Amino acid sequence: MTDNHRQALISVYDKTGVVELARRLVALKWEIISSGGTSDALANASVPVTPVEQITGAPEILNGRVKTIHPTIHGGLLADLSNPSHIKDLHDRGIVPIDLVVCNLYPFSSEPSVELIDIGGPAMVRAAAKNHQRVGVVTQSADYDTVLEELERNDVLSDATRKRLAQIAYTHTSTYDAEIANWLADAKDEQLPPTVTLTLKRQDVLRYGENPHQQGALYRIAGGSSWWDEARQLQGKAMSYLNVLDTDAAWRLAHSLGSNPAAVIIKHANPCGAAIADYATTAYQRAHECDPMSAFGGIVAVNRPVTTDMAEAMTDTFIEVLVAPELKQDALALLAKKKNLRILHAPAPEATKWELRTLGDAALMKTPDTVTLDRSTWQVVTKKTPTDEQWVDLEMAWSVAAHVSSNCIVLVKDLQAVGIGAGQQNRRDAGMLAAQKAAGRATGGACASDAFFPFRDGLDAAAKAGCAAVIQPGGSIRDQEVIDAANEHNIAMVFTGERHFHH
């Protein structure tokens, strides 16, 4: 091979920028080989191109399933030109080395099917990446300009560039294979399959990790779709690790509280305020009233557009992050005065298939904790039955409790959380903390416990706080003792049969 006979093989599904790329390569005296739709696109743009079948002598077959899988192509990609036997093989078979591959794959995750499983593309990419000591491989259009500028400047790609491109290429093919493997696993309807193949792509470098001396980044699962993909930060400093963690918790809780206007305040991964109301501003104000001291520096999520009234209600409070589906322009202008406030405009959160937690080089995986609000599956175990108003408070308290670190007690009155006791090692202390925060506001309201009361003292604490109805899973060996205590206090109690520990 001589410098004036360099071959580039271009075969892409996403043709963004490919015509300009090919034109600039031709201007540098490169010969372009291409297949299928890419070849047609280049020819239609009057770019000199040699169809692959002209090189191989074998037309594509099987409706395009076989195009580039041929010794002439892969020999040209894999040949080590420092190896005399490789040179002889090329010469004996009339194979010309290929120096550059530009290839991206069928978008399998867009509409998973057998016909979108690319075979020839990954084979070419892997072959070129394996031989990166000589061959450049480009799998993303974002690298077109960088590659072209280096070729125009130096006539060749540096070792470092080829190695970087090879790493990107193998990530590209491994991600693609992971999408297919996970699709096949999903087809077997296994919630926790024997093997889970994940490729994580860094989406954003965060301001810092859990603490300022730690690094942090947000990654997305390749082939998946997260609400974070479409979230847009409208103002404020860069997000930190905890900002992201707490914002996600707030956004998911806000969307779990039903279709009416709702507001949630999260601090250190736990709700310190939640409310449902006829108007979003009212919901925010009532959420803030739950625990104003803890709300300082919290994350606010509302499931309705932020209006000027709501923005005005926020002006006297330090908020780390505000996330909403929309912000009215007047509200945004008012909040712009809070320079450090991070504001996110975001779509509703996606449903999760499973949750993953790393343990060093091991991992725990579980299915998501879905909260059931089907009264027909619940059991009233006391003489007294909840009133209509108490039922809706019980449902809200139960929904919020599932998002609070265990052990927890949540007190709700008139669709407003008034006391939240979170993350206590015993349930009695969680109840005492919730009652202390409620400060009498739970009278006539509902109490939710994320797990059963092991002793009657938890129920007695709910009665002392003024609660008129209690919801809990049941299942303790002392259930009858707790039921008797509820009847003594003339409290209605509901067993759900479903625990909601949260760690």
Side-chain angles (χ1 to χ4, degrees), residues 79-81 83-95:
D80 177 358
L81 300 185
N83 187 322
S85 68
H86 286 204
I87 297 294
K88 184 178 184 301
D89 285 340
L90 294 183
H91 182 267
D92 291 347
R93 291 165 176 78
I95 298 174

Side-chain angles (χ1 to χ4, degrees), residues 391-410:
W391 271 119
V392 294
D393 280 346
L394 286 169
E395 289 175 345
M396 179 182 170
W398 191 235
S399 295
V400 173
H403 293 258
V404 181
S405 295
S406 300
N407 291 303
C408 88
I409 296 293
V410 176

Side-chain angles (χ1 to χ4, degrees), residues 158-221:
S158 68
D159 292 346
T161 295
R162 292 195 307 275
K163 185 174 182 179
R164 178 182 69 83
L165 293 172
Q167 186 272 325
I168 294 171
Y170 277 121
T171 299
H172 190 53
T173 57
S174 65
T175 299
Y176 193 76
D177 287 342
E179 292 173 1
I180 297 168
N182 290 333
W183 174 65
L184 292 172
D186 287 345
K188 293 193 293 185
D189 198 29
E190 292 182 274
Q191 289 184 306
L192 300 176
T195 301
V196 177
T197 307
L198 294 178
T199 300
L200 303 179
K201 291 186 174 182
R202 193 175 68 193
Q203 181 171 328
D204 193 14
V205 175
L206 302 175
R207 190 165 179 238
Y208 51 77
E210 195 161 12
N211 298 290
H213 66 277
Q214 296 172 277
Q215 296 182 34
L218 173 64
Y219 288 78
R220 65 182 302 274
I221 298 173

Side-chain angles (χ1 to χ4, degrees), residues 390 393 409-414 416-420 431 434-448 461-470 491:
Q390 289 165 358
D393 280 346
I409 296 293
V410 176
L411 307 182
V412 170
K413 179 67 168 70
D414 295 333
Q416 177 191 26
V418 293
I420 299 174
Q436 177 186 337
K437 290 177 179 290
R441 293 175 296 166
T443 301
C447 167
K464 186 175 181 180
C467 294
V470 171
I491 288 176

